[in-house]
Amino acid sequence: MAAKRKRGALAAGKAKRARSAPSAGEAVPEGGPREPSVPQQEYSIPPPVSQGKWKNKERVLIFSSRGINFRTRHLMQDLRTLMPHSKADTKMDRKDQLFVINEVCEMKNCNKCIFFEAKKKQDLYMWLSNTPQGPSAKFLVQNIHTLAELKMTGNCLRGSRPLLSFDPIFDREPHYALLKELFIQIFSTPQYHPKSQPFVDHVFTFTITDERIWFRNYQIIEEDASLVEIGPRFVLNLIKIFQGSFGGPTLYENPHYQSPNMHRRLIRLSVAAKFREKQQVKEVQKIKKKGTKVLVEEDPTEVVFETPAEEKPVEIQLVKPESKPIVKDKKKLRKIQRKKQKKLFRTEG
């Protein structure tokens, strides 16, 4: 077996190979520099990529409650691949209280958390929290599109550090400024993280439109610095911001938020109102039909363009018509008709 190579031996060998060419300060031997007959092959090992020290020890726990659908599961997996400083955990039972998540984060050695909470198997809520002190924010997640679903052309290096781009509105409102700091601490990959790559080739954008936060992920193309969307994409509708982690006093409540239950109720009421309106229109039409009709006086000019029909002579039938046999079976009726036709042909012959 080959002996193990020590770290000091590599540095010593590298230093010896570096003295193959004379430096400017050394004296050149008599006779001038000699041309080497055989070119010497030098091998150099590049230095490690992350030469700095990993100081920012942010770790994000990404997990969910039971009852999520396949789309939420794929979105959660996409966020884990995009964030190398994230950790996973098993699904939490619905009966457990939310403050239990602080203990789970402490056991996993995480100081940030992204928790997906599913309700009624159709509504998805996202919690962003700074554990265990707070603050925390609760969002309603809408319009989810995952990496596999969109089939976009963009692609980025796995584990690379993203740029975070924020809308200018984040600096105007105080609650948006708090959310901006929370997004920066959660979604930004720490520098010199062991699982990260020292490249910046994609951008996370947070845009505010229609009182909602729109999340997009774009790749930076080196040729012309244009952007190509990678995914995933989703929309966050802010509900509340709490002072503590997964609870506590309410710092901000969104006045424009409408719960999914209320939204579905309004849709049902609008459909019922349309149906009721149609029924009322039908009843009004029935009443109009049953009402007395107004008799219009006869117009004397109606008979002007009427032409009298030709009178046909009245024909009086003296012979009683033959009675047709009542036959229930159609086949028997056809046989009787054929027999009559044969008799007629015989008499004519």
Side-chain angles (χ1 to χ4, degrees):
M1 293 177 65
K4 291 185 179 179
R5 185 171 58 183
K6 297 181 181 179
R7 293 186 180 179
L10 177 64
K14 192 175 178 182
K16 289 179 181 178
R17 282 194 294 271
R19 293 180 59 84
S20 59
S23 60
E26 293 180 355
V28 182
E30 295 181 0
R34 292 180 296 177
E35 295 182 358
S37 58
V38 180
Q40 297 180 359
Q41 295 181 355
E42 295 185 0
Y43 301 96
S44 60
I45 299 174
V49 176
S50 58
Q51 295 179 348
K53 191 177 181 182
W54 178 32
K55 297 179 181 179
N56 184 12
K57 299 294 181 73
E58 295 284 352
R59 297 181 183 88
V60 183
L61 180 65
I62 302 177
F63 72 118
S64 68
S65 65
R66 297 194 180 277
I68 62 172
N69 54 7
F70 72 98
R71 196 184 299 273
T72 308
R73 188 173 66 253
H74 291 176
L75 174 64
M76 194 165 53
Q77 190 62 35
D78 293 342
L79 290 178
R80 287 173 185 168
T81 55
L82 290 174
M83 301 164 63
H85 60 293
S86 63
K87 289 187 177 182
D89 194 29
T90 56
K91 295 179 182 178
M92 196 180 75
D93 198 358
R94 294 186 204 171
K95 298 178 182 178
D96 296 338
Q97 299 294 329
L98 289 178
F99 61 83
V100 181
I101 302 175
N102 297 325
E103 299 177 4
V104 177
C105 293
E106 186 177 357
M107 287 188 294
K108 287 283 184 177
N109 197 16
C110 296
N111 49 7
K112 299 290 185 295
C113 180
I114 299 177
F115 178 66
F116 292 95
E117 185 181 8
K119 291 184 178 180
K120 294 187 176 181
K121 295 184 180 180
Q122 54 183 346
D123 303 329
L124 179 65
Y125 298 92
M126 179 192 285
W127 286 84
L128 299 180
S129 176
N130 178 25
T131 57
Q133 292 87 11
S136 59
K138 185 180 181 181
F139 301 91
L140 174 68
V141 188
Q142 300 171 331
N143 300 337
I144 300 173
H145 297 280
T146 57
L147 280 168
E149 179 185 356
L150 289 174
K151 296 181 182 178
M152 295 188 175
T153 57
N155 190 12
C156 66
L157 184 67
R158 185 187 179 97
S160 58
R161 300 178 64 228
L163 293 174
L164 300 184
S165 174
F166 290 93
D167 197 279
I169 305 175
F170 277 98
D171 298 327
R172 300 173 191 169
E173 301 292 336
H175 59 281
Y176 282 138
L178 178 61
L179 290 178
K180 179 181 177 181
E181 183 63 29
L182 197 61
F183 287 146
I184 289 173
Q185 294 184 14
I186 290 177
F187 288 97
S188 62
T189 304
Q191 194 176 11
Y192 304 122
H193 192 277
K195 293 183 180 179
S196 67
Q197 300 291 338
F199 305 104
V200 178
D201 57 354
H202 63 288
V203 186
F204 289 164
T205 60
F206 298 89
T207 311
I208 297 175
T209 307
D210 195 18
E211 304 297 334
R212 291 171 174 83
I213 300 172
W214 301 63
F215 176 84
R216 295 290 184 271
N217 182 21
Y218 296 97
Q219 178 198 0
I220 304 172
I221 300 177
E222 297 181 358
E223 287 77 11
D224 52 354
S226 60
L227 299 178
V228 179
E229 189 171 357
I230 304 171
R233 56 160 67 171
F234 53 87
V235 180
L236 299 176
N237 191 359
L238 178 63
I239 301 174
K240 284 183 180 181
I241 301 176
F242 301 96
Q243 184 177 354
S245 177
F246 296 98
T250 303
L251 297 179
Y252 176 78
E253 185 175 359
N254 188 8
H256 306 283
Y257 171 70
Q258 187 182 62
S259 65
N261 295 330
M262 182 61 67
H263 181 67
R264 286 190 287 268
R265 181 173 178 272
L266 292 176
I267 291 174
R268 288 195 299 269
L269 289 176
S270 63
V271 173
K274 288 181 181 178
F275 180 74
R276 222 178 290 117
E277 187 178 353
K278 288 182 181 179
Q279 293 295 327
Q280 290 175 358
V281 170
K282 287 181 181 179
E283 290 176 0
V284 171
Q285 290 176 353
K286 286 181 181 179
I287 294 170
K288 284 183 179 179
K289 287 180 181 178
K290 289 180 180 178
T292 56
K293 296 182 179 179
V294 180
L295 297 175
V296 183
E297 296 180 357
E298 293 183 359
D299 189 5
T301 59
E302 280 184 356
V303 199
V304 174
F305 298 100
E306 288 184 0
T307 54
E310 295 180 359
E311 294 183 358
K312 293 183 179 180
V314 180
E315 295 181 357
I316 300 172
Q317 191 174 2
L318 301 174
V319 183
K320 182 182 176 182
E322 295 180 358
S323 61
K324 295 181 179 180
I326 301 170
V327 182
K328 293 183 179 180
D329 194 359
K330 292 183 179 180
K331 291 183 179 180
K332 290 184 179 180
L333 179 63
R334 288 173 187 169
K335 287 180 180 179
I336 294 169
Q337 288 177 355
R338 287 173 188 169
K339 286 180 181 179
K340 286 183 179 181
Q341 287 177 358
K342 286 179 182 180
K343 286 180 181 180
L344 288 172
F345 285 130
R346 286 173 187 172
T347 53
E348 288 176 359

